[in-house]
Amino acid sequence: MNVTVLGAGAWGTALAKLLLESQHRVTLWGHDPGHLDEMRRTGRNERYLPGIELPSQWRLETDPAKAVHDSECVVVAVPSKVFREVTRCLENYAGTVVSVTKGVEHDTGLTMCGILRETAPRARVAALSGPSLALEVARGIPTAIVAASTDIQTAPRVQELFHRPAFRVYSSTDLVGVELGGALKNVIAIAAGVSDGLGFGDNSKAALITRAIVEVRRLGVACGAQEETFSGLSGLGDLAVTCFSRLSRNRGFGERLGRGEELTGILASMVNVAEGYPTARSAWQLARKLKVSTPIVDEVYTMLYEGKNVAKALRALTNRESKAED
């Protein structure tokens, strides 16, 4: 199959490598010509996937229109803040589009596939999400993930496209649940990182994750998702790996906050995007709109956007009024 991957960051590069290993013909699009030239010259993407030898059979392209021409499937792996802009090139595209970006658009409250319905109205849309750290996928470490689409024929097609012995793909029709699980867990991972940075222990993090899945599920169901989705790979699975892994950029972002670094300095120094930062604002706004209680999301929002002291924010969670477990 001819497949185009939009986004030459860690996740886009890892998935392009995976698809090439499955004998697909792959075009990898990136916005930075200098970065793509470096990849051609060195056979590596040291900026995003250090130490990984990359194949040479793919085509590297900086023109999005040329990149998607004759492509049977487009995989979108760009940051959520530029997702709408980048996917405008798909206005007349009638193939399959797979979003692997985890976020919620602030102004509209749309998930990435919600954006695709506007920017690629003729396409068959799906999401690929789950506990999948890009560097581990690039190394061939066994991973399980979910392909979701409201079209019962599209999810199995995406499943077949990506499935490999070390990359097990399940399918789901709960597109909104799979997308929200992937987006909201990044916000929780920032809180988990703050907990690490403050020197809290594993008991604290386990409690945080357990309570977090409750509010993620609560908000997801209010958006029309199926409750059981949040107990699966795109919910609890993705939440667990993002909150515990040393490779998690959102957890690392929160850890730096917990250690006392300034937010502006952290943002300026990060090579990879911590999607939990913009998603915290979107999730906070969405919860207000739907009148859903999200105490952990609320505290992360106040840390990031209202300057609340991180220690006070986490203490506010532990000092909440006693109640029955729900």
Side-chain angles (χ1 to χ4, degrees), residues 113 117 125-127 147-155 172-176:
C113 285
R117 290 192 183 98
V125 173
S149 177
T150 55
D151 179 1
I152 59 173
Q153 294 182 331
T154 298
S172 171
T173 57
D174 185 13
L175 179 59
V176 67

Side-chain angles (χ1 to χ4, degrees), residues 116-136:
L116 284 173
R117 290 192 183 98
E118 296 182 356
T119 59
R122 300 175 59 196
R124 297 180 295 275
V125 173
L128 192 69
S129 188
S132 49
L133 299 162
L135 190 58
E136 292 194 0

Side-chain angles (χ1 to χ4, degrees), residues 301-314:
Y301 171 81
T302 60
M303 282 190 284
L304 300 179
Y305 292 96
E306 296 181 358
K308 187 172 183 177
N309 177 273
V310 293
K312 289 182 178 179
L314 282 198

